[in-house]
Amino acid sequence: MLATRHRMRTSALFSHTVRSGVRNGRRNLVLYVASSTPDEPTRIGFIVSKAVGNAVARNLVKRRLREIAVETIHRHPCGIQVVVRALPASASATWDELGDDYLRAFSAAASRLASKPGESAGRRNNAPAAVEAKRVEGDDVRDPS
């Protein structure tokens, strides 16, 4: 079981990790890894849709993936966010197949994240400012602010 501080709960955290993280897919799952501040605890979230199967099959897949993900927290207690999306094939996968897919996907995504240029806490502050549209005398003028 994952401790509460290591669970990803809000949709904003899921969205941030999926959109800005590094993706790696396998037969049974797709894994997204994003960096966070070094003092923030590692958070892990799971997406298991109805395409995986009925409630029993989905919960079985989630329980297995949670148990496998505990090792990630032991190795990396702070500084990363992980989202695991289970694919329909995961319902019929064995414990070893799920574990192998998770570990391979995580190691590939983590190495890509480490080699990604500018992926640090400071990068978020240097991102281009949002462009806000304003109406000035009937014309649209875009002003970065």
Side-chain angles (χ1 to χ4, degrees):
M1 188 66 138
L2 292 176
T4 303
R5 70 176 184 270
H6 293 295
R7 293 182 199 162
M8 197 173 288
R9 295 244 181 221
T10 65
S11 63
L13 283 174
F14 276 90
S15 295
H16 170 73
T17 305
V18 169
R19 290 181 181 161
S20 67
V22 175
R23 181 183 148 228
N24 195 286
R26 300 288 176 193
R27 181 178 186 272
N28 297 308
L29 55 90
V30 178
L31 192 122
Y32 302 88
V33 179
S35 61
S36 62
T37 58
D39 59 336
E40 191 175 329
T42 293
R43 295 186 190 273
I44 300 178
F46 301 94
I47 302 170
V48 184
S49 73
K50 287 186 178 183
V52 172
N54 64 14
V56 174
R58 291 193 310 269
N59 287 326
L60 176 67
V61 169
K62 279 189 278 191
R63 282 193 308 271
R64 288 180 174 179
L65 288 173
R66 267 193 219 113
E67 190 63 34
I68 293 166
V70 167
E71 185 63 32
T72 301
I73 293 172
H74 291 306
R75 289 186 181 164
H76 308 281
C78 296
I80 60 171
Q81 296 175 348
V82 179
V83 171
V84 182
R85 180 184 302 272
L87 298 176
S90 64
S92 60
T94 65
W95 175 266
D96 292 333
E97 290 172 340
L98 271 179
D100 188 46
D101 279 356
Y102 178 90
L103 293 175
R104 287 177 188 240
F106 181 79
S107 64
S111 66
R112 281 184 52 207
L113 184 66
S115 67
K116 194 173 180 181
E119 188 60 38
S120 65
R123 183 174 194 268
R124 283 182 242 138
N125 296 336
N126 295 334
V131 177
E132 185 179 79
K134 295 183 179 179
R135 287 211 175 262
V136 177
E137 297 178 14
D139 293 334
D140 281 339
V141 176
R142 299 199 181 260
D143 181 16
S145 15

